[in-house]
Amino acid sequence: MTSFPHPIPTALFPRIASAMAIAVLISACTPTNPTVPTQWNTYQNQRFGFEFPYPQDWIALPPPTNQDGRAFHEPDYPNIEIRGWGTLKLTGLEEAKETPTVPKSNFTTEQGLPAWLEVEVGTEESVMRMTLESGNVIYTWQGRSPKDRFGEYYSLFYAIAQNYRVNP
């Protein structure tokens, strides 16, 4: 048995395991040329002028009364969902403090729009979120699933984010 000169405190084991799991998940989930099949449906939002593809068999949740977006979930797993929505950027001094801002771009959609794409790997749930600004609107799209299923849906979520469109 090998002994180490400075043993790792057992309190750090959960943090080390979590960091290793995140590294493995991210490295294993790099999408390769994601495409959206033509038989998919397209959600179109008339209020904010955006659209995104979604699997034909996914179930649409009731739209919010303000018509800012829509959510869909996997037919067999309601806790696996995608959703997109728009938010008007506020212009008043007091209101502007509450308006979210989009970080610099690290992602570009197929339409050529710069966006911010982030992945949050949580202890129970993981999320891929894309945010972009165009005109006076902040557009947000996200896919979410239980952490243990996120690897299965990563490429799907990435393909949808890549094919998100804002109508001119």
Side-chain angles (χ1 to χ4, degrees):
M1 181 176 196
T2 305
S3 64
F4 296 97
H6 303 289
I8 299 171
T10 55
L12 290 179
F13 286 160
R15 288 184 183 167
I16 293 169
S18 178
M20 290 173 59
I22 290 169
V24 167
L25 179 66
I26 290 172
S27 66
C29 295
T30 302
T32 56
N33 196 18
T35 57
V36 176
T38 56
Q39 70 270 18
W40 284 20
N41 291 335
T42 299
Y43 167 71
Q44 296 178 327
N45 182 280
Q46 300 303 314
R47 179 177 179 202
F48 289 107
F50 68 89
E51 62 185 52
F52 60 86
Y54 66 94
Q56 194 170 23
D57 61 341
W58 283 40
I59 298 168
L61 297 172
T65 56
N66 67 2
Q67 299 297 313
D68 69 346
R70 194 79 187 254
F72 303 84
H73 71 78
E74 223 266 19
D76 297 325
Y77 304 99
N79 57 348
I80 299 172
E81 71 169 32
I82 56 174
R83 67 176 56 225
W85 67 94
T87 307
L88 287 174
K89 290 193 306 190
L90 302 175
T91 56
L93 182 59
E94 287 301 311
E95 296 166 337
K97 292 178 185 175
E98 299 173 15
T99 301
T101 57
V102 178
K104 291 187 177 187
S105 165
N106 68 353
F107 179 78
T108 304
T109 67
E110 287 290 326
Q111 188 181 17
L113 298 173
W116 181 257
L117 186 70
E118 61 185 323
V119 175
E120 298 171 8
V121 179
T123 56
E124 295 180 22
E125 182 178 74
S126 295
V127 177
M128 176 184 289
R129 183 176 300 113
M130 183 199 65
T131 309
L132 63 90
E133 286 187 43
S134 181
N136 66 343
V137 179
I138 297 174
Y139 298 93
T140 307
W141 178 89
Q142 73 178 25
R144 97 176 31 238
S145 77
K147 183 184 85 169
D148 61 336
R149 304 285 310 268
F150 192 69
E152 297 171 48
Y153 288 89
Y154 186 94
S155 289
L156 169 78
F157 293 162
Y158 191 91
I160 295 170
Q162 224 176 12
N163 286 278
Y164 185 98
R165 298 185 63 79
V166 174
N167 303 323

